[in-house]
Amino acid sequence: MENRTIRGVIAIIACALTVCVARAAVLQQSGQYALAQGKPQIVSRLSLINGPSGLQTLVLTQYAPHSTAPLTRYAPTEDEPLHIVIVRDDFLSFGHLHPHMSGQGVFRLPYLFERGHRYYAYVASQPAGLHEQVFRFVVASGTASRHLTTSVVAPAVHARAGPYDVSLDQSRVRAARPQLVTADITRNPRAPGVAPYHVAWVRAVLVNTSSLTYAHIDGAINRGLCCEYALRLPPLTKGLYRMWLQFDDGTSIYTAPLTFAAQ
């Protein structure tokens, strides 16, 4: 009788541990609205499923307020229903990805996070009939997240992206008003290959390094000069902004990290 009691207690403990492990493998959180303009019109939830060798899967679902049925209809932006931008908390790592819809309103994205770091995952979408929605999630990889001292502390308007030199025409812009800034994208003459006269498209993602608010630019105005592109900035709150300028020259997509201040 005593042995059966002990075995029963062990079974209960083992079952409890299994449940704890299962819960530890699936971490769910609700996103925080991240656009400086507008207001949240939906609820966005993210589950993080731990996998082997540091590979983790982000599982995202979005809902209308007070609804339990995931949203399934989206107005595509850049031919995609959903964009996930992943930024390490020292602003030195960036990824712009598109998750796969694996079910009715369920999006999945496998991602290999560097252990011991914290990341911000920005989920951008435009549900049918609504304004654009962007939510921020915080993802930690490994047991102890360490917030690195970032080197992004001052404007830096020049960067190299592959064979290209990229620069902004100003390091400071006016806050709280839309405006144009010019980006120069020039191929290094010593780089192999034929230099295109203009790149196919330009886009940019911006994050305020203090408030962590998010903005983006979906396109650029070709000024007709080689190789100048006018970027239309939305109204920005004051602060230092990390910008990842992405462009496609017809063969590859390049990303140039830049920094400017809104004052």
Side-chain angles (χ1 to χ4, degrees), residues 24-217:
V26 182
L27 307 174
Q28 187 181 77
Q29 59 178 296
S30 295
Q32 182 175 352
Y33 190 73
L35 279 175
Q37 296 82 32
K39 60 182 180 179
Q41 297 178 293
I42 62 172
V43 176
S44 188
R45 294 196 180 100
L46 181 71
S47 298
L48 186 67
I49 302 176
N50 296 325
S53 303
L55 183 67
Q56 295 171 296
T57 300
L58 286 73
V59 181
L60 186 99
T61 49
Q62 302 194 116
Y63 305 84
H66 313 298
S67 174
T68 58
L71 296 173
T72 58
R73 296 177 57 243
Y74 292 86
T77 56
E78 299 179 24
D79 299 323
E80 299 287 347
L82 212 72
H83 301 260
I84 297 183
V85 169
I86 299 177
V87 177
R88 205 169 71 185
D89 66 353
D90 58 2
F91 304 102
L92 299 181
S93 174
F94 169 87
H96 183 161
L97 305 156
H98 305 115
H100 171 67
M101 184 186 285
S102 60
Q104 284 292 94
V106 180
F107 295 87
R108 295 179 180 269
L109 177 69
Y111 195 84
L112 186 61
F113 292 96
E114 188 177 350
R115 292 184 64 82
H117 287 276
R118 183 175 59 184
Y119 291 82
Y120 305 118
Y122 292 89
V123 176
S125 67
Q126 186 172 348
L130 300 178
H131 296 295
E132 180 187 24
Q133 302 286 284
V134 179
F135 292 87
R136 180 179 68 252
F137 300 86
V138 179
V139 179
S141 179
T143 54
S145 175
R146 63 178 188 272
H147 186 99
L148 300 181
T149 300
T150 177
S151 61
V152 183
V153 295
V157 293
H158 303 282
R160 172 66 64 87
Y164 293 92
D165 293 313
V166 182
S167 62
L168 296 179
D169 66 343
Q170 51 190 302
S171 61
R172 289 172 172 79
V173 301
R174 295 287 298 276
R177 58 183 293 183
Q179 60 206 284
L180 292 177
V181 298
T182 299
D184 293 325
I185 304 174
T186 307
R187 189 179 175 97
N188 189 316
R190 293 184 293 276
V194 178
Y197 181 70
H198 285 293
V199 299
W201 54 257
V202 180
R203 68 186 180 200
V205 168
L206 302 84
V207 173
N208 186 307
T209 60
S210 296
S211 67
L212 302 179
T213 53
Y214 174 100
H216 65 89
I217 302 168

Side-chain angles (χ1 to χ4, degrees), residues 169 180-183 198 220-231:
D169 66 343
L180 292 177
V181 298
T182 299
H198 285 293
I221 303 169
N222 187 332
R223 289 194 179 276
L225 303 173
C226 186
C227 293
E228 295 184 357
Y229 300 87
L231 307 172

